[in-house]
Amino acid sequence: MKYENQRNPILPLDIHIPDSEAHVMPDGKLYVYGSFDNREDVYCSEEYHVVSTEDMNLWEIEDEASLVGNQVSWFNNPDAPKYPGIDWSNPTPFIKKMMAERSEDKEAFEVDNNKPKPALLFAPDCIEKDGNYYFYFCMSDDSEGVAISDSPKGKFTNMFQLPCGGIDPAIFVDDDGQAYYYWGQLFSHGVKLNEDMISFDRDKIIDNLVTEENHYFHEGSSMRKIGDNYYYVYADMERGKPTSLGYSMSKSPLGPFEYKGIIVDNASCDPASWNNHGSIECVNGQWYVFYHRCSRNSQLYRRLCIEKISILPDGTIPEVKMTSQGVGEPFALGEKIMGYMACEVHGGCYIDIDEKYQEVLTNFKAESEAVFRYVKSTVDFEKIKVTALGKGKVQVLMNGKNVGTVDINSTGDYDAFEGLIECPAGEYELVIKAIDSKDLKIAEIILE
């Protein structure tokens, strides 16, 4: 499937690929490897699908799964080696304290251990070496493995179980050709891979590279190198839940690492937002952060989003806000801004499915807000058109200033309602704020 788009969310609304690891491969294309949300009861699914692009505009989503969980020979095999991750039944004092404070820290959708586990595939990563593509993955039984292909798209076959347990593997190959493997939750682990890229010496594992206690590390390891700095990117707990992507830096791929801060936070993408997982990558000289946002007032239905980032002279990365424009330019006059492109929602509203528009903004209450970043014009803004269903009145804010209102009264079908606004030319954050609402849903916005 091919899909042309530069706005967030990047992919079609029915394609939910979270946990994005982005890599520019030797063919010059950008490839995104992630989980695949297609269930209503649990994170992820039993398949992976690869996404690629040449220009950050035309995206190709592979229809055929690159790897399927029930093809993994060791899953649910009683004779396969077992390498458990965190032992939640016998927690350390720190984990016990953390669990008491935040019960959600244990996987929000854990499968009942008394029932056979589905062959769920969690966050993966992939790297090229010597013409082969090594795809690292983890499963719902805490097992981790690697599969191989001669194409960055897969299919990935020739599977090997790795001698470790846990979640969220990350792969990194340094300038000297040495490969490193990372994984873990709450406490991360790293090790040099052997030359074969499919094995390592368990005695050489370095534990606690980054931890939740000292680095706000929750899960979702990702490693990059910029200049002579190594960047460990991960789901960051500094703000109380792992909705941020944060990072720590080191002069060595195996630490010690120093915590540096947050790159992007998706806490306001949905009332139920809980986690984040992603990566950073340089494409044609521009660095980007790849992350996910959930929808439908649920921790699920996570979708790929991308923002431009900057690397400062001292190597640090300033935090960026979530945007609606994504990798493209700000929205122009006359351009449709879809309701589902809201990058933040507040006061109870959220993005949900809709029969006519596929997805819309819904559940507006008085004071609910939907944020769109950014809009831009070289002439004054004079009018706004809101396509909506239901009744209500909304206030239009540009960079926090009230510039007009729109009255909405539609009970039969979606209709367009216009309002006058007064705002000088420039670039703005657009906010639609409900003054009152009765079953209000917003599908489209156009500025004129």
Side-chain angles (χ1 to χ4, degrees):
M1 176 196 308
K2 292 186 177 180
Y3 182 69
E4 191 170 0
N5 182 42
Q6 292 188 310
R7 308 303 193 191
N8 285 327
I10 290 292
L11 303 179
L13 297 181
D14 59 346
I15 303 293
H16 297 91
I17 297 183
D19 308 329
S20 49
E21 273 288 356
H23 293 283
V24 176
M25 292 300 190
D27 63 3
K29 294 182 181 180
L30 174 77
Y31 291 82
V32 179
Y33 303 91
S35 309
F36 190 71
D37 281 358
N38 68 359
R39 299 170 56 121
E40 296 181 355
D41 60 334
V42 68
Y43 289 128
C44 308
S45 67
E46 299 179 57
E47 56 193 71
Y48 293 120
H49 292 264
V50 178
V51 176
S52 60
T53 182
E54 292 184 359
D55 58 5
M56 302 290 281
N57 179 55
L58 182 62
W59 303 86
E60 185 171 357
I61 305 107
E62 297 302 314
D63 295 321
E64 185 177 7
S66 58
L67 191 150
V68 178
N70 61 20
Q71 296 173 352
V72 179
S73 62
W74 62 82
F75 187 83
N76 278 341
N77 180 349
D79 298 324
K82 298 295 185 292
Y83 305 98
I86 292 177
D87 183 1
W88 293 100
S89 65
N90 185 28
T92 65
F94 170 67
I95 295 178
K96 189 179 295 185
K97 179 177 181 292
M98 175 272 298
M99 290 172 67
E101 292 174 350
R102 301 186 305 269
S103 60
E104 299 98 327
D105 277 346
K106 194 166 184 289
E107 284 295 336
F109 299 95
E110 187 179 58
V111 178
D112 185 347
N113 287 325
N114 296 318
K115 298 179 181 179
K117 290 183 173 69
L120 297 177
L121 297 164
F122 298 152
D125 199 359
C126 185
I127 204 71
E128 183 273 342
K129 189 175 183 184
D130 300 329
N132 288 318
Y133 293 84
Y134 296 87
F135 185 82
Y136 300 84
F137 61 96
C138 59
M139 303 189 71
S140 49
D141 64 350
D142 270 353
S143 67
E144 302 190 35
V146 56
I148 306 170
S149 176
D150 60 3
S151 167
K153 297 178 180 179
K155 282 193 164 184
F156 295 98
T157 57
N158 300 325
M159 300 179 198
F160 300 88
Q161 186 177 0
L162 291 167
C164 60
I167 61 170
D168 299 351
I171 182 67
F172 169 72
V173 176
D174 209 345
D175 300 334
D176 60 1
Q178 175 63 56
Y180 297 83
Y181 185 71
Y182 307 87
W183 73 99
Q185 187 179 25
L186 307 183
F187 312 90
S188 73
H189 319 276
V191 67
K192 286 185 178 181
L193 279 179
N194 293 331
E195 194 65 28
D196 60 12
M197 298 290 286
I198 62 172
S199 65
F200 59 80
D201 185 344
R202 279 182 54 83
D203 292 335
K204 295 183 178 179
I205 295 173
I206 298 179
D207 297 317
N208 302 323
L209 290 176
V210 291
T211 69
E212 182 161 294
E213 197 167 17
N214 297 317
H215 305 84
Y216 305 106
F217 170 78
H218 185 70
E219 59 192 16
S221 299
S222 179
M223 180 63 69
R224 293 293 186 274
K225 185 180 184 182
I226 306 174
D228 61 354
N229 292 315
Y230 296 85
Y231 293 73
Y232 205 132
V233 178
Y234 48 85
D236 185 314
M237 288 291 296
E238 183 185 7
R239 293 173 181 168
K241 20 179 217 179
T243 56
S244 301
L245 280 187
Y247 72 109
S248 293
M249 289 172 60
S250 176
K251 294 297 183 181
S252 164
L254 293 175
F257 286 91
E258 180 183 356
Y259 180 71
K260 290 296 184 180
I262 289 171
I263 302 172
V264 68
D265 186 353
N266 74 16
S268 299
C269 69
D270 185 274
S273 180
W274 165 249
N275 79 346
N276 209 338
H277 185 168
S279 57
I280 61 173
E281 183 72 347
C282 186
V283 184
N284 296 324
Q286 171 66 56
W287 280 94
Y288 298 90
V289 59
F290 296 76
Y291 67 105
H292 64 240
R293 306 202 296 236
C294 62
S295 59
R296 305 187 195 177
N297 197 24
S298 165
Q299 294 181 20
L300 304 175
Y301 308 108
R302 300 168 296 173
R303 60 269 307 262
L304 173 65
C305 294
I306 309 173
E307 310 294 351
K308 294 179 181 178
I309 60 172
S310 302
I311 313 297
L312 298 183
D314 65 357
T316 57
I317 304 172
E319 182 177 354
V320 295
K321 293 182 178 181
M322 295 186 292
T323 73
S324 306
Q325 72 183 62
V327 300
E329 295 298 314
F331 291 89
L333 290 182
E335 184 176 356
K336 282 185 181 179
I337 307 172
M338 305 304 296
Y340 63 75
M341 293 175 177
C343 55
E344 288 188 17
V345 289
H346 301 277
C349 64
Y350 56 89
I351 299 162
D352 204 356
I353 55 175
D354 180 78
E355 289 184 2
K356 182 172 182 178
Y357 281 91
Q358 193 173 3
E359 290 193 7
V360 298
L361 279 165
T362 187
N363 201 49
F364 279 93
K365 301 176 174 63
E367 303 299 314
S368 292
E369 294 182 348
V371 181
F372 301 86
R373 299 188 182 102
Y374 291 96
V375 299
K376 186 177 182 179
S377 174
T378 57
V379 298
D380 292 352
F381 296 89
E382 297 178 348
K383 190 184 342 181
I384 187 170
K385 183 185 296 183
V386 179
T387 300
L389 178 65
K391 297 182 179 181
K393 186 172 187 176
V394 298
Q395 195 174 55
V396 183
L397 306 174
M398 303 283 257
N399 286 359
K401 181 181 178 181
N402 179 19
V403 298
T405 58
V406 181
D407 291 307
I408 297 168
N409 186 3
S410 174
T411 57
D413 198 359
Y414 283 93
D415 293 306
F417 299 90
E418 295 185 353
L420 298 178
I421 58 176
E422 294 183 10
C423 184
E427 183 173 325
Y428 295 90
E429 172 189 276
L430 168 67
V431 175
I432 303 298
K433 181 177 181 178
I435 299 174
D436 57 66
S437 167
K438 184 178 181 181
D439 301 324
L440 181 61
K441 297 182 179 181
I442 294 179
E444 296 177 358
I445 300 164
I446 299 176
L447 294 168
E448 298 175 354

